[in-house]
Amino acid sequence: MGSNSPEILPPGSGSQAAGPSWENTAESASAGVRGIPLDAPRRRKPIWLAAPATHILVAINCLVFLAMVARRVSPISPTVDQLMNWGASSAGNVLIEGQWWRIVTAMFLHVGILHLGLNMWCLWNLGLLAEPLMGSWGVFAVYILTGAAGNLLSTCVNWVWPMHESGTVVFPAGAGASGAVFGIAGALIILLKSNRLPVPPVELKKLRRSVIYFAAINLFIGFSISIGTQVMHKGLSIDNYAHLGGCACGLLFALPMVPRLGSPRQSFNLRLRIAVGMIVGILVLFGFFLVQLVPQN
């Protein structure tokens, strides 16, 4: 059984500085409304307090990896059996054994320290940009829901077009946060187009363009590596459909939303609930569709 090891490149430096800049803009506007001079010295929040969901998600992924290593799992190249024991996903386990919980656990599991480092670097950068726009609960929601969407699409593709080794059907093991990372990128592509944001349009275009490039380049690299692996019959196994499903779900998730910055709180909260409810409904329906693919005994 092979293992899917989705690798993605970190986003550009533009997204790294975005998190604090959103916060500064919001604080300045709020200070002006309260009558506080804009040039008055302010105590700056710790960066983890400005984006708690991002840091909690990164911490969970790192703690899971450390727990695996503490239990003698290889930090460089864990075996497929080790990954499956810790919650990796595969079409066979999900659809035949009914282990649907793997759809969620797989997005907190990584295939070695390099895989973890790349995904966490991207999650941290994109999360700092996204959290001021969709709030902490919004980041948690988009991570879980788009990560699940990517894993469900991967499960579907691997079930319909399974791998074959020595005449035996094989369902590869999938693990990694990259589907959720692509989901956050997809949501940002929509939210950064909003004219409600208190940011100059030129800067918004630059930020949005960098996120689009990040998603497009990494999707292209992933599919190119997979084609090379198929031709050479060796190399990395990248779960491109988890990336594609996560990104598409992120785009859909953000469609009914408005950014938290520049929008009334009541409107933002209502639209976030609509987005979450819509995606949950779609994923449940897709899950029922997947169940119908399994022959009934």
Side-chain angles (χ1 to χ4, degrees):
M1 179 182 293
S3 63
N4 286 324
S5 174
E7 302 293 347
I8 53 180
L9 296 179
S13 59
S15 63
Q16 297 176 27
S21 68
W22 294 126
E23 182 188 359
N24 292 341
T25 302
E27 286 184 357
S28 298
S30 177
V33 170
R34 296 195 305 266
I36 301 173
L38 296 181
D39 57 351
R42 299 188 305 273
R43 185 177 180 181
R44 186 160 184 166
K45 294 181 180 178
I47 190 171
W48 66 268
L49 194 58
T54 300
H55 290 82
I56 289 172
L57 288 169
V58 171
I60 292 173
N61 279 276
C62 292
L63 288 173
V64 169
F65 180 77
L66 291 175
M68 291 172 63
V69 173
R71 296 298 297 270
R72 301 183 182 277
V73 175
S74 170
I76 305 298
S77 182
T79 67
V80 172
D81 288 340
Q82 289 174 333
L83 292 173
M84 295 305 298
N85 288 338
W86 279 86
S89 178
S90 79
N93 289 82
V94 171
L95 297 180
I96 298 176
E97 303 295 334
Q99 297 173 354
W100 291 89
W101 49 269
R102 292 181 181 272
I103 295 296
V104 175
T105 57
M107 69 182 75
F108 295 98
L109 197 69
H110 287 84
V111 189
I113 192 168
L114 178 61
H115 186 206
L116 173 74
L118 286 172
N119 277 350
M120 292 306 98
W121 177 245
C122 294
L123 174 59
W124 188 78
N125 279 281
L126 291 174
L128 290 183
L129 178 59
E131 197 154 347
L133 299 183
M134 60 180 66
S136 297
W137 289 112
V139 170
F140 280 128
V142 77
Y143 181 95
I144 297 296
L145 295 176
T146 61
N151 288 339
L152 285 171
L153 180 60
S154 176
T155 297
C156 179
V157 172
N158 287 326
W159 179 264
V160 176
W161 295 289
M163 297 173 58
H164 293 83
E165 292 182 3
S166 303
T168 304
V169 174
V170 174
F171 298 113
S178 51
V181 169
F182 271 92
I184 296 173
L188 282 171
I189 290 172
I190 299 297
L191 290 175
L192 288 173
K193 198 176 181 180
S194 175
N195 56 12
R196 296 171 179 252
L197 291 170
V199 178
V202 174
E203 295 301 319
L204 278 181
K205 286 182 179 180
K206 289 180 181 179
L207 284 172
R208 187 167 182 264
R209 190 182 302 120
S210 69
V211 177
I212 292 173
Y213 286 164
F214 160 78
I217 290 172
N218 281 287
L219 284 172
F220 175 78
I221 291 174
F223 277 101
S224 298
I225 292 175
S226 292
I227 292 173
T229 298
Q230 291 178 359
V231 172
M232 302 296 293
H233 300 290
K234 62 180 180 179
L236 289 175
S237 179
I238 297 180
D239 199 344
N240 293 294
Y241 290 100
H243 297 176
L244 194 61
C247 188
C249 184
L251 292 168
L252 191 60
F253 180 91
L255 280 179
M257 288 186 63
V258 292
R260 188 181 66 168
L261 288 181
S263 302
R265 177 176 296 182
Q266 185 176 4
S267 175
F268 167 77
N269 289 336
L270 174 62
R271 288 175 177 254
L272 176 60
R273 293 190 190 99
I274 292 173
V276 171
M278 177 183 69
I279 297 300
V280 168
I282 291 173
L283 295 183
V284 170
L285 290 175
F286 190 59
F288 279 119
F289 166 74
L290 290 179
V291 170
Q292 303 308 311
L293 297 178
V294 182
Q296 302 298 321
N297 294 329

